[in-house]
Structures are given as C-alpha cells and as structure tokens.
Amino acid sequence: MADEDHAPISVQQAKELFAHWKAAPALVLAVSGGPDSIALMWLAARWRRSLTRGPRLIAVTVDHGLRPEAAREAREVKRLARSLDLPHRTLRWTGAKPKTGLPAAAREARYRLLAKAARASGATHILTAHTRDDQAETLLMRMLRGSGIAGLAAMARESEREGVWLARPLLDIPKSRLVATLDKAKIAFADDPTNRDVSFTRPRLRALMPALAEEGGDSRNLARLASRLARANAAIEVLADGAERYLAVRDRDDATRFGFDAQAFAGLPEEIRLRLLKRAIDRTGHEGPAELGKVEALLAVLDNAIANGQKQSRLKQTLAGAAISLTGGRIYVDAAPPRGSRAEKRSYLPISAMSGRRALTTPEKHWPFASFFDRESR
C-alpha cells in the first residue's frame, strides 16, 4: 500500500483520471504553482495530447496579492504552461483584504475569478487539484464544526458554482503520488509557506495527520468515510425529494402560497423535515443559505407549535431572509420583510432569539409518503 501511494501516475492512469471530461468544449485548469496543481496541469496536457479531438485547456493562476513571491510563481506557471502548449492567464485579487476569515475570503475570490475566466473562454468546467489528503482534512474540519451529513460528505467530484462546474479529477489520489510524478518528470514546483502556517486551521490539522494515521485515521480511511457519507446523503436527498412530492400532492388545492400541510409535515422523520424546511428557506430567503443549527432550532419550535395546535396562529419566525409562519394548520415560507423595517419589528421574531431554547422532538410516525412512491412507480 505504501509503495502504491508513492508511485508516479502512468499515462494510462492519467487517461482514466480525465476521461469523464473528454467531450467538454474547454476546461480551465486552476494552477497555483504548488505540486498538486502543477501535476494537474502536466497530467492534463499529456492526456490532451493523446486525443485526436478533445477540449481546449486553459491554465489560470490566481494571485491573491498576499505574498510577494506569488507574482514570481505565477510567471513560473506561465513558462511551464507555454512549454506544454497551453494558454495561460494570471488573475489578481485586488482591493482590501479582511483581517479575519482570510482563507475563506481568498477561496471565495479565487472561485469567483476562475468562474469568470471559464465563462469568458467558453469552458464548462474548472478543474482543481484537490487530492485525497485535502478530502481527509476537509472532513476533519467539518467534523470539528459539527456539520451534518451533507457537510461531512466533504468535497464532491463535481459541483456547480458561479454558473460553471468545479471538477476534481485527483480527489482519490494522494499528494505523494503527484509529487512522485513531478519528480520523475523533473518538473519543479513552488512551496507555499502558508500551507504550514499553524495560525490557520487546515495546516494545524495537517500537522496532526501522522498521529491520526497511527490510529487508523489516515487519508485513505478518512476519504472513504467521506465517500460513504456522500452515499448516505444522496439516499436521504432522494427520500426528501419524495417527501416534497408527497406534500405537493397534499397541497394541490392551495397553490397561492408556498407552504406545507402541518400535520403531513409533522409525520415525516426529523432529518427529512429538516431538509425540506432548509430547502424552502434557501429558495425563498434573500440572505444566503440558512445555517443548519438555526434550522434545527426553528424545526424544534415548529414541532412544539404543531403539537400545541391551539397556538398555531401565533408562530412567526424569520431566518436567512425568509419568513416562516404557522397558520390554520399550514406552514408558510415567504420572503421576509427587510431587516429593521416596521413590518419585521411588528410581526416576526428572528430565529436567533429562539436558538437557546431546548429542542423538543415529536415522535416520528410511519413514512406517510410510502404509498406516494408506489403511485409514482406505476
């Protein structure tokens, strides 16, 4: 196993890594200059040369303006890209940088700039060099933050962002194999010291990996766990889709506002109720995705209100720019009044005011939409 994790990637293996995107018109390669992204560019170029027809490849480097060496590293990437007959662009993150949350802000800026470059070049996908090691670290970070199943599934092989697709062809490959590939090809790469800066979370977790590996928590096993959780999450999403169709059938005579029949909603398992509520808030709200913990708190409030039917008309909450109310046996999700407006102050209580209360759960009944699944399959 150790030898396999340090073996260079062969020509045939490279073909298999990129085969899924053979029919794309163009691909943007996100290349920072470190070993992972340099290996991505080199392997992708070698794969493209083996094809009679295939996508155009465009290498893009984002200079965040955070290190003086970054401009020189971008020039080195440009030189290597030219030697591989690839066009190259350097994009710069300009403007003021935040004093806190810098890694997250830099990541958002990087994807925004990469997506802009992809759209400008007609590329449908941005290929990033995330590895199995990155997947393991992402899982650990989300575990420590208390993420739900969807978050613990970590990074997907493909995901949509900014109107294009992010693709991660190296997600099952350990970093050691990429370094071995570059060493064999005698290709140099940059060393970013921020990857070892323990003032950031990811480098601190990276430093813990050898100790975790001794206890069986190596990148292979952690990435396998993320894959299994992704599989479970996909199954739950299918059930949530079915529950949504079931509620739509129950509500076919009330299409004036988006909402759920409260009793039908209450009969669903808690995880399904939670996902349906979050979906509704994310669709309707205007403040970005709702935080899982706040949706959990809101669900507890709704469960209690549904159980105490005589108080249903009094429930009005806001969360993530959505207004959630329980009236006449129905849960409604509407756009919330602007923050600070008279309507908001008069009518709605932010869910954050309720989040300290102890969550009460209702007994979960049988799956009431099982028969609906049967009807759909006929």
Side-chain angles (χ1 to χ4, degrees), residues 229-310:
L229 289 166
R231 185 176 65 206
N233 183 64
I236 295 171
E237 281 291 287
V238 170
L239 296 178
D241 290 342
E244 204 161 27
R245 292 194 297 270
Y246 163 74
L247 292 176
V249 168
R250 290 289 296 260
D251 296 340
R252 63 175 49 170
D253 296 327
D254 188 354
T256 56
R257 295 169 66 192
F258 182 78
F260 305 128
D261 178 280
Q263 289 301 321
F265 179 79
L268 302 172
E270 184 177 1
E271 180 68 18
I272 303 299
R273 296 200 307 275
L274 184 68
R275 292 186 183 225
L276 293 182
L277 188 57
K278 189 176 188 310
R279 285 182 184 187
I281 292 169
D282 289 347
R283 287 172 187 159
T284 310
H286 49 78
E287 296 178 3
E291 294 179 23
L292 178 60
K294 291 182 179 179
V295 181
E296 288 171 334
L298 174 60
L299 181 61
V301 172
L302 278 172
D303 285 345
N304 287 337
I306 293 169
N308 299 316
Q310 71 277 11

Side-chain angles (χ1 to χ4, degrees), residues 77-344:
V77 172
K78 187 180 189 72
R79 274 194 283 271
L80 179 58
R82 282 179 174 173
S83 73
L84 297 171
D85 294 325
L86 297 181
H88 176 270
R89 292 184 62 191
T90 297
L91 306 177
R92 291 175 177 82
W93 181 29
T94 58
K97 308 299 189 291
K99 297 186 183 302
T100 60
L102 184 59
R107 183 170 58 251
E108 288 297 319
R110 178 166 63 253
Y111 286 131
R112 185 175 64 251
L113 290 168
L114 288 168
K116 184 178 179 180
R119 290 191 295 267
S121 60
T124 53
H125 294 72
I126 300 166
L127 270 56
T128 69
H130 291 107
T131 66
R132 191 175 76 191
D133 303 69
D134 297 315
Q135 184 76 314
E137 293 162 8
T138 298
L139 173 66
L140 289 174
M141 290 176 70
R142 294 183 180 180
M143 285 176 62
L144 295 174
R145 293 172 183 170
S147 293
I149 294 175
L152 294 177
M155 294 181 285
R157 183 171 170 82
E158 280 194 353
S159 57
E160 190 274 337
R161 187 162 185 159
E162 301 276 348
V164 295
W165 288 95
L166 290 182
R168 303 174 175 92
L170 307 180
L171 200 56
D172 295 327
I173 304 297
K175 182 187 185 81
S176 54
R177 291 200 67 188
L178 301 180
V179 173
T181 301
L182 295 180
D183 286 346
K184 181 179 179 182
K186 295 181 171 51
I187 295 175
F189 51 84
D191 177 28
D192 184 351
T194 59
N195 288 328
R196 299 186 299 278
D197 186 348
V198 293
S199 63
F200 298 121
T201 303
R202 192 177 285 272
R204 288 198 298 271
L205 290 176
R206 193 171 294 142
L208 293 175
M209 288 302 293
L212 290 176
E214 290 183 4
E215 301 297 332
D218 59 9
S219 66
R220 182 184 297 274
N221 284 337
L222 291 173
R224 183 185 293 122
L225 173 59
S227 177
R228 288 169 174 168
L229 289 166
R231 185 176 65 206
N233 183 64
I236 295 171
E237 281 291 287
V238 170
L239 296 178
D241 290 342
E244 204 161 27
R245 292 194 297 270
Y246 163 74
L247 292 176
V249 168
R250 290 289 296 260
D251 296 340
R252 63 175 49 170
D253 296 327
D254 188 354
T256 56
R257 295 169 66 192
F258 182 78
F260 305 128
D261 178 280
Q263 289 301 321
F265 179 79
L268 302 172
E270 184 177 1
E271 180 68 18
I272 303 299
R273 296 200 307 275
L274 184 68
R275 292 186 183 225
L276 293 182
L277 188 57
K278 189 176 188 310
R279 285 182 184 187
I281 292 169
D282 289 347
R283 287 172 187 159
T284 310
H286 49 78
E287 296 178 3
E291 294 179 23
L292 178 60
K294 291 182 179 179
V295 181
E296 288 171 334
L298 174 60
L299 181 61
V301 172
L302 278 172
D303 285 345
N304 287 337
I306 293 169
N308 299 316
Q310 71 277 11
K311 298 180 181 179
Q312 288 183 12
S313 62
R314 300 181 185 179
L315 177 62
K316 292 183 178 181
Q317 301 280 319
T318 60
L319 176 58
I324 302 93
S325 58
L326 180 59
T327 306
R330 288 183 58 78
I331 301 165
Y332 291 105
V333 184
D334 303 299
R339 281 185 180 272
S341 68
R342 290 184 179 180
E344 184 199 35

